[in-house]
Amino acid sequence: MTPEEIAGTLTELFGTSAVGAIGPGSWQIDTSTFRLLVLLSEDNAWLRVLLPIVPIQEAQPFLEQFLEANFDDTQEVRYALYEGGIWGVFQHNSHTLVSADLSNAINRLVSLDQAGLDNVFNRLIESRIRQIIQAAKQQGQSLQATMQSLERFYAEGLMGEINQTSEGREEVLTAWRRQLERLWNEG
């Protein structure tokens, strides 16, 4: 893609008011929800699209899950760590890049931004549930016995929030049951 084709694709996606040229081969897209940077290398051979996702302070507990997502989920885009934050990044040889692929990559970056920490948090929770299942099975517990232990922990206040209502506790326990049932036979 030429710089003109890139600018045209960005304008198609975001409109002229959101797209700003910040230098030769460099654009910034400002919307109400995100800021996207599109940068060509000095020789125009590589295009990089960057979108800040979350500050490193918030992301620190989930770095392993971000890397796992790079391996399993992110397809043509990647999470990257730079200047105190987690970024969504797409890099491609600009000579072989086509408009549809650029549009798809930008849409995927925006979806990573919209998900924020949700996806990596869910990955972390699922790994913790798998650990609970593994420990329960090593102790010879059944799914039902494991669920009864969790219910007892909530009833005794070892788990859950201090001022949790009985309805809130039931919602959490229902979520636990769903996750345990879903993952029990996998581990």
Side-chain angles (χ1 to χ4, degrees):
M1 292 183 78
T2 65
E4 294 77 24
E5 292 170 321
I6 294 167
T9 299
L10 295 173
T11 301
E12 282 178 31
L13 288 172
F14 301 104
T16 54
S17 63
V19 179
I22 55 176
S26 301
W27 300 266
Q28 181 170 300
I29 293 85
D30 283 309
T31 73
S32 62
T33 56
F34 62 85
R35 174 176 286 163
L36 184 82
L37 298 172
V38 181
L39 310 170
L40 274 170
S41 62
E42 286 186 24
D43 63 359
N44 288 350
W46 283 92
L47 178 74
R48 181 181 288 173
V49 183
L50 306 159
L51 180 64
I53 304 291
V54 65
I56 190 61
Q57 297 87 348
E58 294 176 37
Q60 192 72 41
F62 308 105
L63 292 180
E64 182 178 335
Q65 287 72 33
F66 279 113
L67 289 174
E68 287 174 356
N70 277 348
F71 188 81
D72 288 335
D73 299 330
T74 59
Q75 297 180 6
E76 73 273 24
V77 300
R78 296 284 176 260
Y79 287 109
L81 176 62
Y82 183 68
E83 289 191 349
I86 296 290
W87 294 69
V89 179
F90 170 73
Q91 296 184 112
H92 201 286
N93 181 314
S94 60
H95 302 300
T96 59
L97 183 63
V98 296
S99 181
D101 290 339
L102 177 58
S103 295
N104 289 337
I106 289 172
N107 287 333
R108 183 160 303 279
L109 288 171
V110 171
S111 72
L112 291 181
D113 180 56
Q114 290 170 341
L117 292 175
D118 290 350
N119 292 342
V120 292
F121 177 77
N122 290 338
R123 274 181 170 275
L124 178 63
I125 294 302
E126 187 169 302
S127 75
R128 297 295 196 259
I129 292 171
R130 289 179 194 279
Q131 289 173 349
I132 290 169
I133 290 170
Q134 183 179 13
K137 286 182 174 183
Q138 286 175 347
Q139 294 174 9
Q141 286 187 359
S142 66
L143 171 61
Q144 188 58 33
T146 303
M147 195 62 215
Q148 287 172 350
S149 294
L150 289 171
E151 288 171 354
R152 189 181 77 244
F153 292 154
Y154 273 91
E156 294 173 359
L158 297 174
M159 293 178 73
E161 297 177 25
I162 293 172
N163 297 322
Q164 191 170 32
T165 65
S166 60
E167 296 85 19
R169 185 172 64 234
E170 283 307 311
E171 286 178 25
V172 170
L173 288 171
T174 299
W176 269 105
R177 181 177 308 283
R178 267 196 318 270
Q179 293 298 330
L180 286 173
E181 288 171 348
R182 182 176 70 85
L183 299 172
W184 189 263
N185 291 326
E186 291 181 17

